[in-house]
Amino acid sequence: MPHTNHDLPLPVAELNAVNKVFVTGGGHELKVLENIDLAVRPGELLALLGQSGSGKSTILRCLTGLVEPSSGRVLRNGKPLDGVNPDASIVFQTFALYPWLTVEQNVAVGLMSRTMDRAEKQAAVDRAIEMIGLGNYHAAYPRELSGGMRQRFCMARALVSQPKMLCLDEAFSALDVLTAENLRQELISLWRSPSSGLSSIFMVTHNIEEAVEMANRIVVLFPRPGRIGLVLENNLPYPRDSRDPEFQRLVSIIHETITTLNLPDLPPETAIAGQPISRGRSRMESIPLVPVGQILGLLSMMHDTPELTNIYDISDEIGKEFGETISIVKAAEILDFIETPKQEVRFTELGKKFVSADRKGRHAIFSEQVYKLRLFHIIIALLKEYEEVEEAKIIKDIASALPYDNPEKTFQTMIAWGRYAGLMDFNPKTRMVFVPEEVDASEEARLV
Ligand code: ADP
Ligand code: MG
């Protein structure tokens, strides 16, 4: 008998060469997904990892039929998907329960589209609530429950229709550490127990350890535009121990892939005779959309607690999501205040000088560093020629220089940095950018 593709089980849901372009509020096109091929196979627990803003939720929405790709195909069981995928249920990050319904009624909402009689519905609801371990709470209202319990009911609601594919979008990230860990473990045991009927899980997360703990296949999404980067099989036996060296090895492979991608790794540059080469000066490079205050916060935290050098520990300390921490670190790095060998974050000489300088000294150093970033010369060059420049003109230039970035947000961040540096200011009434007057001491307080 000839072998055909029919011997392989068809993916539950699949994206083929999917591209997605959004049009931003300002009318610019933002390419969010580029040529995505991704299949959720029967029986697998697939994790999609990526920093925030890389396009994970958009992929989940395309796979489940909530969003239509700009081009490419979405398949369900090998056939083109039409509308919302009836095989999928989604659990979101926030606990989206209707406050006016009891939790039992909320779970029943998951069956609304099904044709079942009352008794069948009731049995399915009871079963889902039992499965998720909340048998005593049928009649409670969401407000009476903790965040962890509410998220459990969201899972019950997603499971009640016995979906072929359960989709989780950062479903654990709003829970406290212990609750999240419990719920992850329970979900893994449900998925592993044949009687649960739960087959494929597609989870989106920015948490590397969570992906390594749960998934048997991990796909890392590269940002701007979202592209499939690394794909890893994870055959570690369950239950997984995060202290296991193999577990840690996977975490660091993924971690390194993500950070080397996010932190600027710059191409070789042509040396200018007699001048030291500094990084990232000659090519147009985007800037992380991070307020100045967060950069200063990171630097003073590093100054106050020099023992904190690991990027994970720093992330915990400042209480930000890992992806956000990376952005702050990247911002400080392109300003040459810190360097990031491997998972370490260290001050440069300039960074040390900056944190120990007084306010005036800091502005001066910051100004010099901002001046070195090519992107800012879009504005600086215009301000040399004109007293003031329209916001719209600058945004247009940013959009053509950095086609994968959001030009409005980049503009706002540039103004914030440029203002702290004393290089530029913006009048929101006239929508004009201008060169500020010499800053006197009394005004300076306003800038910080
Ligand atoms: P993630 O889930 O990885 O954080 P998203 O898929 O939510 O990323 O978003 C990816 C990018 O697409 C972001 O820059 C976001 O601002 C943009 N985006 C998402 N949805 C829309 C939309 N409806 N309109 C315009 N831009 C969007
Ligand atoms: Mg998201």
Side-chain angles (χ1 to χ4, degrees):
M1 232 178 82
H3 282 277
T4 66
N5 278 341
H6 300 294
D7 297 343
L8 293 169
L10 287 167
V12 187
E14 188 176 359
L15 302 182
N16 267 173
V18 159
N19 290 289
K20 181 70 189 174
V21 176
F22 284 115
V23 178
T24 68
H28 294 281
E29 293 201 336
L30 185 64
K31 182 157 199 187
V32 173
L33 298 179
E34 184 173 84
N35 199 23
I36 303 289
D37 285 317
L38 182 72
V40 182
R41 303 167 186 158
E44 80 171 335
L45 202 170
L46 175 65
L48 178 67
L49 248 179
Q51 70 170 113
S52 103
S54 56
K56 303 181 297 294
S57 296
T58 306
I59 288 186
L60 183 144
R61 293 193 181 107
C62 288
L63 267 176
T64 51
L66 294 175
V67 155
E68 222 180 310
S70 306
S71 68
R73 300 200 306 160
V74 186
L75 304 176
R76 165 192 173 213
N77 268 320
K79 301 206 179 65
L81 174 67
D82 184 19
V84 175
N85 189 335
D87 298 333
S89 292
I90 312 178
V91 178
F92 294 100
Q93 175 184 348
T94 48
F95 323 119
L97 294 171
Y98 297 113
W100 58 88
L101 299 178
T102 65
V103 289
E104 185 182 39
Q105 290 163 336
N106 265 290
V107 171
V109 168
L111 287 176
M112 233 143 61
S113 61
R114 302 286 151 130
T115 43
M116 285 177 165
D117 67 33
R118 238 185 122 90
E120 280 173 326
K121 278 198 178 167
Q122 187 61 52
V125 169
D126 287 346
R127 182 167 173 276
I129 291 179
E130 276 321 312
M131 209 154 79
I132 214 78
L134 286 169
N136 297 324
Y137 294 90
H138 287 253
Y141 284 90
R143 63 169 181 278
E144 303 172 78
L145 304 177
S146 66
M149 284 205 244
R150 272 181 258 166
Q151 193 61 317
R152 253 165 224 258
F153 275 107
C154 290
M155 298 243 175
R157 180 175 58 192
L159 291 171
V160 70
S161 59
Q162 299 200 288
K164 291 210 179 93
M165 173 171 75
L166 176 68
C167 299
L168 308 174
D169 192 346
E170 312 262 7
F172 308 100
S173 64
L175 301 172
D176 65 80
V177 177
L178 273 180
T179 310
E181 184 50 30
N182 282 335
L183 206 48
R184 283 196 280 262
Q185 289 305 333
E186 281 171 43
L187 191 66
I188 293 171
S189 15
L190 274 181
W191 169 70
R192 297 183 65 214
S193 121
S195 65
S196 73
L198 186 56
S199 166
S200 304
I201 299 182
F202 174 64
M203 62 182 283
V204 155
T205 179
H206 64 269
N207 181 331
I208 301 175
E209 303 233 350
E210 180 173 293
V212 175
E213 178 184 343
M214 298 184 73
N216 51 10
R217 202 157 61 96
I218 300 169
V219 171
V220 179
L221 194 65
F222 291 177
R224 289 186 294 158
R227 286 148 296 148
I228 303 288
L230 197 61
V231 180
L232 284 168
E233 301 283 334
N234 180 1
N235 297 318
L236 289 174
Y238 296 96
R240 292 173 177 166
D241 178 357
S242 62
R243 287 158 308 181
D244 180 347
E246 189 53 25
F247 187 108
Q248 283 303 326
R249 198 182 65 88
L250 275 179
V251 169
S252 53
I253 291 174
I254 297 171
H255 181 268
E256 230 168 273
T257 312
I258 294 184
T259 39
T260 40
L261 255 159
N262 291 333
L263 299 173
D265 60 336
L266 301 161
E269 291 182 24
T270 352
I272 300 166
Q275 278 187 22
I277 309 176
S278 63
R279 316 174 66 201
R281 301 299 173 248
S282 67
R283 98 184 149 127
M284 199 64 90
E285 186 180 18
S286 55
I287 56 169
L289 306 178
V290 171
V292 177
Q294 292 191 357
I295 303 173
L296 301 183
L298 170 75
L299 298 177
S300 60
M301 191 216 68
M302 287 174 60
H303 181 71
D304 295 343
T305 38
E307 66 278 12
L308 276 186
T309 56
N310 180 286
I311 192 161
Y312 285 116
D313 298 339
I314 288 177
S315 188
D316 282 347
E317 180 71 20
I318 59 183
K320 298 264 179 210
E321 286 183 354
F322 189 65
E324 276 183 80
T325 304
I326 289 195
S327 299
I328 303 170
V329 165
K330 180 179 169 178
E333 188 173 42
I334 66 171
L335 293 163
D336 268 347
F337 293 151
I338 60 171
E339 53 193 0
T340 57
K342 304 284 169 193
Q343 309 191 4
E344 301 282 291
V345 179
R346 283 197 224 123
F347 274 121
T348 58
E349 285 310 311
L350 184 72
K352 285 184 199 152
K353 206 171 131 200
F354 179 80
V355 279
S356 32
D358 60 11
R359 187 173 282 171
K360 226 171 167 178
R362 284 187 173 196
H363 286 308
I365 296 173
F366 200 88
S367 165
E368 252 175 67
Q369 294 311 100
V370 165
Y371 201 86
K372 289 185 197 161
L373 297 173
R374 258 193 78 195
L375 179 62
F376 281 84
H377 287 260
I378 291 179
I379 302 181
I380 292 167
L382 286 165
L383 287 178
K384 278 194 181 139
E385 224 172 308
Y386 307 100
E387 214 161 285
E388 41 176 29
V389 185
E390 282 165 53
E391 174 192 25
K393 155 99 187 99
I394 294 170
I395 287 180
K396 207 169 134 242
D397 289 354
I398 295 172
S400 58
L402 302 169
Y404 296 136
D405 288 42
N406 179 320
E408 289 88 8
K409 286 189 185 156
T410 300
F411 172 79
Q412 284 154 14
T413 305
M414 287 173 75
I415 293 298
W417 291 22
R419 187 182 279 144
Y420 183 77
L423 293 171
M424 60 194 65
D425 208 340
F426 176 61
N427 182 338
K429 287 206 190 89
T430 58
R431 314 302 301 177
M432 291 293 214
V433 177
F434 58 96
V435 182
E437 306 278 310
E438 281 292 308
V439 182
D440 70 32
S442 65
E443 250 196 308
E444 206 149 280
R446 188 177 60 85
L447 293 173
V448 185

